[in-house]
Amino acid sequence: MKNVYCVFKTGEFRNGKRKLEYTADQVRWLKRQCDQFLPGIDFYCLTDLESIDGVNTIPLRHDWPGWWSKIELFRFDDVFYLDLDTVILNDIRYMLDLTRFYALRNLSGHKRNGRVVMGSGIMSWSGSYRHVYENFDIRIINKYQRHQNRWGDQGYIHEQVDYNALQDAFPDKIHSYKFDGIEQSNPPGDIVVFHGKPKPWDSGEEWVPPLVP
């Protein structure tokens, strides 16, 4: 049985202040959705915080910057991963039945090595893909910097695994808020992916759960 995971790495210090794109509130926000739409499935957050109220946490082992902390997910077998800015609309337990490695097909359609690069906002695998973690070396991150169109953690994972697209496994079930023009009161599908701006809690959409209940 897969478990559900998210990752919350606190921001780096800049000019003496910590820059936070997310807080523990977003972790609890996602967990509330999973409690509703993935009932009975264990939820864990990999984090550098000592604890998060109401959430089972697992310590990050490394101080890898930003999205690179996602690589620590590959320490674990049987994972269903969700980014913190994911909105779940319906019961998605059926998505946990997938075998092999699945991820989003990049929502912008960008290619790497002749294939549309994978998106790491939702990932699912059965068994072990620990080599992704074991092969990672922080010294290689400049090779994958996004401003060079090499797609950060997604570019690295893309080269380590043969991914299958979640959009093919579940047609019309996963939609992009940015690219699919979702503004109606009853959005389609079972998951809406927010990538970039706005974040769900800033969108003003009535179907997005409130950040603080």
Side-chain angles (χ1 to χ4, degrees):
M1 172 67 72
K2 290 187 178 79
N3 295 319
V4 177
Y5 293 81
C6 69
V7 177
F8 173 46
K9 174 71 160 55
T10 56
E12 289 92 28
F13 280 101
R14 295 184 184 179
N15 299 321
K17 296 182 179 180
R18 187 177 292 276
K19 179 182 179 182
L20 286 176
E21 185 173 12
Y22 299 100
T23 70
D25 284 340
Q26 279 86 9
V27 178
R28 288 186 286 265
W29 175 84
L30 180 62
K31 182 180 185 296
R32 289 194 297 272
Q33 295 182 76
C34 290
D35 289 345
Q36 180 178 359
F37 295 120
L38 286 161
I41 307 300
D42 290 337
F43 179 97
Y44 297 95
C45 179
L46 274 67
T47 183
D48 55 350
L49 294 180
E50 291 186 3
S51 64
I52 299 174
D53 289 344
V55 178
N56 291 321
T57 58
I58 299 173
L60 289 165
R61 291 179 176 175
H62 309 278
D63 189 25
W64 292 338
W67 55 58
W68 292 104
S69 288
K70 289 187 187 180
I71 302 301
E72 292 206 38
L73 291 162
F74 293 90
R75 292 160 43 193
F76 304 97
D77 300 349
D78 304 320
V79 167
F80 189 78
Y81 167 80
L82 296 167
D83 266 358
L84 291 176
D85 54 1
T86 305
V87 175
I88 308 172
L89 302 170
N90 296 297
D91 192 321
I92 59 169
R93 283 175 291 183
Y94 67 90
M95 292 188 181
L96 275 62
D97 293 335
L98 290 171
T99 58
R100 298 182 294 169
F101 185 94
Y102 282 80
L104 293 174
R105 182 189 297 111
N106 185 275
L107 298 164
S108 302
H110 294 284
K111 291 186 177 181
R112 183 170 175 79
N113 299 335
R115 294 185 65 207
V116 176
V117 72
M118 58 155 280
S120 61
I122 305 175
M123 297 185 287
S124 173
W125 62 88
S126 296
S128 174
Y129 284 80
R130 190 176 175 87
H131 70 277
V132 179
Y133 170 69
E134 293 177 340
N135 291 346
F136 182 69
D137 187 324
I138 192 64
R139 292 172 294 184
I140 70 173
I141 66 173
N142 285 338
K143 176 182 175 182
Y144 296 96
Q145 288 308 308
R146 197 165 195 167
H147 67 270
Q148 297 171 329
N149 204 25
R150 296 182 180 177
W151 296 101
D153 65 300
Q154 299 172 137
Y156 170 74
I157 300 168
H158 180 88
E159 293 186 348
Q160 293 288 315
V161 301
D162 183 16
Y163 90 95
N164 303 276
L166 285 162
Q167 294 97 319
D168 293 339
F170 307 117
D172 299 319
K173 296 297 185 181
I174 301 172
H175 293 274
S176 161
Y177 182 77
K178 182 182 295 185
F179 295 129
D180 292 343
I182 299 170
E183 296 178 355
Q184 59 266 43
S185 60
N186 185 26
D190 293 339
I191 291 178
V192 176
V193 178
F194 282 73
H195 42 107
K197 304 292 184 181
K199 295 301 183 185
W201 39 87
D202 297 325
S203 68
E205 302 292 354
E206 63 183 34
W207 45 266
V208 173
L211 182 59
V212 179

